[in-house]
Amino acid sequence: MDTFWTLIADARAGVPDPTDCCAVVERATSLLAALPPASIVAAQQVVWDLLADSYRNPLWAAAYVMNGGCSDDGFDYFRGWLLTQGAEVYRAAVADPDSLASLEVVQDAARSGAEFWCEAALSVAWDAHLLATGMKLPEDAFTIRYPELDPDWDFDFDDGEELAARLPRLAALYEV
């Protein structure tokens, strides 16, 4: 997993605007494609493990607030964006989704209405493998294991009072 986070850090350092998730993904894909195919395949499992680890209602609620709603696919793409923000932001957000309110890019988006999603981040290893080998990733190269969602967070995310109680900084920032 550390190798993946180093890849993301290097990709972020190699683009003019590290908040531009598409540029980070493009750079990460190029860097990953330079590695041996086995390392590329291993990176896909890391991506799915990180997506599974971040599959949590509190983070989904944060995505809902930040994006003005959030479908199942939208939550996947939001977590793709989160991966492009690096290990520190990812870990902080998984531990406390309300911590995202402290990011300048999130504060700017609250004013501008920008949304957070990056579908391309989900296929960084697929694209790198294709670039490096000309072949798709082997279908049996990874497994997906999503945990059960926390029933304590099973409430209507349109309930502004409940969101404000659970994610006070994001709710205040987005005037929920």
Side-chain angles (χ1 to χ4, degrees):
M1 202 160 295
D2 289 339
T3 302
F4 177 80
W5 287 126
T6 300
L7 174 80
I8 295 299
D10 291 347
R12 289 176 58 81
V15 297
D17 179 5
T19 66
D20 179 350
C21 69
C22 291
V24 172
V25 168
E26 186 175 317
R27 181 73 180 137
T29 300
S30 295
L31 293 171
L32 188 56
L35 299 177
S39 296
I40 300 170
V41 172
Q44 182 62 32
Q45 184 62 58
V46 171
V47 168
W48 283 111
D49 289 346
L50 291 168
L51 289 172
D53 290 343
S54 61
Y55 187 76
R56 301 168 187 238
N57 298 66
L59 190 59
W60 201 329
Y64 193 89
V65 170
M66 293 166 61
N67 287 342
C70 190
S71 67
D72 294 353
D73 288 346
F75 187 45
D76 287 342
Y77 306 155
F78 174 83
R79 289 177 296 136
W81 166 81
L82 188 58
L83 292 177
T84 68
Q85 302 310 295
E88 185 178 330
V89 171
Y90 170 88
R91 289 181 182 128
V94 169
D96 175 17
D98 210 27
S99 69
L100 291 166
S102 67
L103 299 178
E104 186 176 335
V105 67
V106 173
Q107 294 167 6
D108 291 345
R111 290 186 289 277
S112 71
E115 295 181 359
F116 297 96
W117 57 275
C118 190
E119 182 179 3
L122 306 180
S123 60
V124 66
W126 286 91
D127 294 342
H129 195 270
L130 190 58
L131 183 63
T133 68
M135 299 182 311
K136 294 180 182 180
L137 272 174
E139 290 185 27
D140 63 349
F142 60 93
T143 58
I144 303 167
R145 55 165 184 79
Y146 281 119
E148 293 294 319
L149 291 170
D150 183 349
D152 290 339
W153 279 77
D154 186 16
F155 65 93
D156 183 356
F157 290 165
D158 284 324
D159 183 342
E161 249 181 62
E162 189 68 29
L163 279 173
R166 293 173 184 246
L167 300 169
R169 293 184 293 164
L170 282 171
L173 188 62
Y174 282 86
E175 300 176 2
V176 172

